[in-house]
Amino acid sequence: MVGVHLDLDALRVVEVNRGRIVRWSVVPYPAGQALGTKEFPAFLKARLGDFDSMLRHTAIWVVGPIPSLQMRFLTLPRTRPRQLSNLVYWTFRKEIPFDAAQTTFDYDAEGGDPAATGSAKKTDVTAYTVAQADVAALTDAFEQAGFHVDGLLLPSFAMRNLFRNHPAGLHATEAVMALYVGDDSSAIMFLKGRNVVSHRLFKTGLGVMLDAVRDRHPDWDARTAFQAICAAYGAGAADPERDSIREVVQPPFGRLIQQVERSLSAYLVGRDENIKAIFVAGALAGMPPLVAELGSRLGVKSRPLD
């Protein structure tokens, strides 16, 4: 299987065989050749050339931007499996109306809180919708490059699957947080062992920080702004330009922290427990000072999710 991540600044490709990483590649986007440009399929075809012979005979799964994503974590009464789909569909649609002809809807059952017993046990699901136009924008770029996409994976689901398959160090009685910071939205989940006990999407992401930097530097595109933020929070001696970037990033980063704080407070209502740690994934994971500040502000041990 080959996984392709259309990240903010680069194309990231990983080949997996029997659960092990065989090869991987990171290729920065050339100027003017990001997703959505007419030049992108040619760039994609050229950069996937090293994997070409194998790509013709294996599954390709893609993680990419889906601005229309809507998600809800639903706790529902127990019901028969054949009735669950209708219950999830109409419960979700009551909260978030959508045009079924132009929208893809799906859900996945979660493990639930292992501490719940007897009548307290419910059926927990994560349900979501995405606009079919967003799906087509991703798959069409690969089709134009000569590659068939077998499936799209939402970043927070990829993060959840990682914990499900590799729960080392996680215990069923201890809760941890996992935060994925995307471009225009972020996802936060609370886990106990392999089980997701809460999952939320909020519309604040790295994009608000990029916009703040671009307001200061109108001639920069999103990729340049992202690289400037990475440089400002990376290793190296302080200088006025780095200090300037940090100054404009702090207010929108503070708003992101507020969203996480609200999610944490809502989760802890009625629960007598502490959060053991927060794992950070996505572009923010590559900025250790921000990961550390997030943990410090929340009072929770924080670390990037490798």
Side-chain angles (χ1 to χ4, degrees), residues 46-61:
R47 294 305 97 195
L48 292 178
D50 292 341
F51 297 81
D52 183 70
S53 60
M54 192 265 301
L55 285 173
R56 308 296 175 177
H57 304 93
T58 192
I60 301 176
W61 283 76

Side-chain angles (χ1 to χ4, degrees), residues 204-223:
T204 302
L206 196 67
V208 295
M209 295 183 242
L210 299 179
D211 290 343
V213 173
R214 294 178 70 188
D215 286 343
R216 179 72 65 91
H217 300 275
D219 56 322
W220 287 5
D221 59 15
R223 176 172 169 265

Side-chain angles (χ1 to χ4, degrees), residues 124-206:
D124 291 337
V125 302
T126 299
Y128 66 91
T129 57
V130 296
Q132 293 174 5
D134 283 350
V135 175
L138 290 173
T139 58
D140 287 355
F142 282 81
E143 294 289 347
Q144 292 173 36
F147 301 107
H148 173 71
V149 174
D150 291 86
L152 302 179
L153 187 59
L154 301 178
S156 62
F157 279 73
M159 186 168 62
R160 182 203 60 182
N161 293 346
L162 178 64
F163 281 102
R164 275 186 178 177
N165 297 325
H166 303 281
L170 302 182
H171 303 282
T173 58
E174 294 180 330
V176 300
M177 300 166 60
L179 172 68
Y180 177 87
V181 180
D183 183 8
D184 57 353
S185 64
S186 300
I188 187 167
M189 63 180 69
F190 296 86
L191 305 101
K192 289 184 176 180
R194 298 177 185 268
N195 299 312
V196 174
V197 294
S198 183
H199 193 173
R200 178 182 176 238
L201 179 80
F202 54 87
K203 294 294 184 178
T204 302
L206 196 67

